Amino acid sequence: GQQTGWMTSMTDITEPNRIREQLSASYERFTTVLEALDASVSVAPLGSEELLFANKLYRLWFGSQTAGHLGLVAQAGVPTKPPTDESMDEVDSFVGLPTDALTSTRSENAEIFVPELGKWLEVRSRYLNWVDGRLAQMVIATDITPRRQAEEMSAAQAERAQSASRLITMGEMASSVAHELNQPLTAINNYCNGMVSRIKGKQINEEDLLKALEKTAHQAQRAGQIIQRIRSFVKRSEPNRTLSDVAEMVSEAVELAEIELRRRNVRLSHYVAARLPKVMVDPILIEQVLVNLMKNAAESIDHAQRPTARRSVELRVIPRQVDEQPVIEFSVLDSGAGLAPEVMDRLYEAFFSTKVEGMGIGLNLCRTIVESHQGRMQAENLMNGTEVVGCRFSFWIPLSHSSGLLPLAGAETKSPGVHA
Ligand SMILES: Nc1ncnc2c1ncn2[C@@H]1O[C@H](COP(=O)(O)OP(=O)(O)OP(=O)(O)O)[C@@H](O)[C@H]1O
Ligand SMILES: [Mg+2]
């Protein structure tokens, strides 16, 4: 054998080396990202105890066993969508860049509590084809305990705020009841004092005594009704309506207000349009509104220290149209000091009062009652040129369909019940 030549075999390994380096760099990036992720990531084949992949947080939470992975799947449920080739491709295409795939919204989400960890976890899972072609399930769990705690805290705060507002309503209710009870209690006191002095002076016969006693009993009964009506009204915020006679309500309210007006030396006249239809209202509550307005009117006149000739209040009740809807309008006009702009803005505020002995609950309750009857209330100054000569509080209540016919035009009565 003679050597005839050399056979050389040279392979260029630059390219495979570059690819290997790239692959290993890519793998390193991949694992670095997965390891640093503040979510636990695990992959296990379907129907097997084998754990194909687990990142650092998974190992920290669940150790190196598949139990944690299976527990999460069991608690969070599995994706209802069966894996399609398309969704597999999508997962595969993300291999180099796992973070996007991990937060992909295409996966199923569930929020579960894991007692062993004492944590709330948001769990997403999806199917993927493992490198060896097996169908596997990837589970990503994120700790959402801080978010959950914040949510629970704000829910608890909302609950506390709610009960605080219920307490305010209770406070207002108690004030309203106390406020409204003053009227019948004053009346009872008045009747009793009157009877005592007339009996002492031997100026009373049995018939008058009986009448006064009946009036006293009526006021006591009214006091009871007020408590009951305001209580149930505040509780349900729906008035207890009956078809009520306007003239009757007015005379009941006038009788109550008279005591206050007489004490302040204020005249009261009232005018009620004739043949007004009955209205669907809670008469006790509407009467209380009228009494409150007349009382405020008298107090304003007293406060303005008007001379005798200018100490009068007028109550007017007329039918009207508001937005083509028939209503009954009640207005109380006084010759008092009127309303300063800063008072006008706060009239209906609970506990706002410019009076030394005022509770500031009267108008607040009035407006609540009127609006619960689907009515509206308003206040305006009465002017004589540029001079404020008093004010007018008015409110209207819509006539419901059941309340009957509107009055005939021109048929009116005037009842100038004047008291000095
Ligand atoms: N007719 C009026 N003329 C002038 N100011 C009025 C009149 N009515 C109400 N006001 C003003 O509105 C405020 C609030 O009235 P509101 O009836 O709610 O409370 P109050 O009369 O002060 O106290 P209370 O709760 O005992 O009725 C009054 O303090 C007063 O300043
Ligand atoms: Mg008042």
Side-chain angles (χ1 to χ4, degrees):
Q2 214 184 25
Q3 187 173 6
T4 53
W6 300 96
M7 221 177 73
T8 51
S9 159
M10 291 221 327
T11 322
D12 184 357
I13 57 161
T14 324
E15 192 55 20
N17 265 351
R18 205 175 57 82
I19 290 169
R20 195 175 303 137
E21 272 163 26
Q22 271 182 353
L23 268 174
S24 100
S26 158
Y27 178 77
E28 225 170 90
R29 270 209 308 276
F30 173 85
T31 41
T32 308
V33 170
L34 280 179
E35 291 294 297
L37 216 58
D38 59 356
S40 127
V41 182
S42 53
V43 182
L46 288 184
S48 158
E49 292 282 293
E50 193 185 347
L51 192 60
L52 296 173
F53 178 87
N55 78 343
K56 193 164 152 195
L57 199 59
Y58 179 93
R59 296 194 303 273
L60 188 73
W61 283 352
F62 304 107
S64 52
Q65 304 304 307
T66 328
H69 173 96
L70 296 175
L72 291 177
V73 171
Q75 251 190 291
V78 289
T80 44
K81 264 184 299 176
T84 62
D85 282 350
E86 200 185 295
S87 65
M88 292 299 176
D89 287 351
E90 204 180 311
V91 173
D92 284 347
S93 69
F94 280 123
V95 160
L97 266 176
T99 42
D100 265 349
L102 301 184
T103 53
S104 162
T105 50
R106 286 285 214 88
S107 51
E108 304 279 312
N109 287 8
E111 292 186 4
I112 60 167
F113 185 71
V114 182
E116 305 90 74
L117 297 174
K119 285 182 197 303
W120 275 97
L121 302 182
E122 183 187 60
V123 180
R124 298 162 222 235
S125 62
R126 60 192 303 163
Y127 293 105
L128 50 81
N129 276 322
W130 193 240
V131 282
D132 57 10
R134 269 187 295 176
L135 186 62
Q137 193 166 27
M138 173 166 71
V139 173
I140 303 132
T142 322
D143 185 0
I144 53 158
T145 314
R147 197 193 81 202
R148 271 280 181 160
Q149 278 168 348
E151 279 171 6
E152 272 158 26
M153 235 161 72
S154 71
Q157 260 163 8
E159 171 77 28
R160 271 199 299 278
Q162 268 243 318
S163 57
S165 78
R166 271 199 294 276
L167 285 180
I168 291 163
T169 319
M170 284 295 287
E172 284 179 4
M173 182 190 97
S175 312
S176 302
V177 171
H179 185 264
E180 301 308 288
L181 279 185
N182 254 333
Q183 223 49 48
L185 289 179
T186 308
I188 290 169
N189 192 33
N190 229 49
Y191 292 135
C192 289
N193 286 339
M195 284 186 281
V196 167
S197 66
R198 286 173 74 182
I199 288 169
K200 274 185 183 164
K202 304 216 189 313
Q203 293 174 322
I204 195 162
N205 58 32
E206 202 169 283
E207 198 186 324
D208 289 345
L209 186 64
L210 260 177
K211 231 186 262 170
L213 280 172
E214 274 163 8
K215 281 188 168 185
T216 311
H218 178 67
Q219 291 306 321
Q221 204 185 2
R222 185 179 178 88
Q225 279 176 321
I226 287 173
I227 297 175
Q228 185 238 320
R229 296 296 175 86
I230 292 184
R231 238 192 78 211
S232 67
F233 166 67
V234 171
K235 244 169 54 187
R236 293 178 296 118
S237 58
E238 229 329 279
N240 184 4
R241 303 184 190 218
T242 53
L243 214 49
S244 314
D245 186 84
V246 177
E248 268 172 36
M249 289 192 293
V250 168
S251 72
E252 186 81 17
V254 163
E255 192 186 326
L256 274 169
E258 259 170 14
I259 299 157
E260 184 72 29
L261 272 77
R262 214 176 285 149
R263 192 163 74 86
R264 296 189 185 267
N265 202 16
V266 172
R267 283 183 304 275
L268 170 67
S269 58
H270 61 272
Y271 165 80
V272 182
R275 293 194 221 170
L276 284 176
K278 291 192 176 218
V279 275
M280 274 304 276
V281 296
D282 183 331
I284 298 276
L285 294 178
I286 299 297
E287 284 160 27
Q288 291 306 121
V289 174
L290 293 172
V291 170
N292 277 312
L293 295 182
M294 288 187 274
K295 192 166 170 257
N296 277 350
E299 283 165 354
S300 176
I301 291 169
D302 215 9
H303 188 248
Q305 299 186 309
R306 299 294 196 207
T308 313
R310 285 179 65 191
R311 297 178 79 86
S312 60
V313 171
E314 189 186 351
L315 167 62
R316 294 177 63 85
V317 188
I318 56 164
R320 259 192 64 193
Q321 298 269 324
V322 172
D323 297 331
E324 292 169 27
Q325 185 193 23
V327 306
I328 292 193
E329 183 190 67
F330 299 77
S331 44
V332 174
L333 297 88
D334 69 62
S335 52
L339 302 158
E342 66 274 14
V343 174
M344 190 77 98
D345 290 342
R346 305 183 59 187
L347 281 178
Y348 306 104
E349 209 173 279
F351 308 116
F352 170 78
S353 175
T354 58
K355 298 164 195 168
V356 186
E357 38 11 316
M359 285 176 76
I361 206 76
L363 287 178
N364 176 274
L365 181 66
C366 288
R367 189 175 67 173
T368 311
I369 291 174
V370 168
E371 291 186 351
S372 74
H373 284 87
Q374 284 76 48
R376 288 291 172 272
M377 185 155 185
Q378 66 174 60
E380 64 198 342
N381 279 327
L382 296 173
M383 310 293 290
N384 183 5
T386 53
E387 189 201 352
V388 176
V389 293
C391 67
R392 172 180 186 265
F393 278 83
S394 62
F395 67 91
W396 52 258
I397 303 286
L399 279 171
S400 66
H401 301 295
S402 60
S403 56
L405 294 164
L406 275 174
L408 297 166
E412 293 173 342
T413 58
K414 180 134 180 141
S415 44
V418 174
H419 313 277

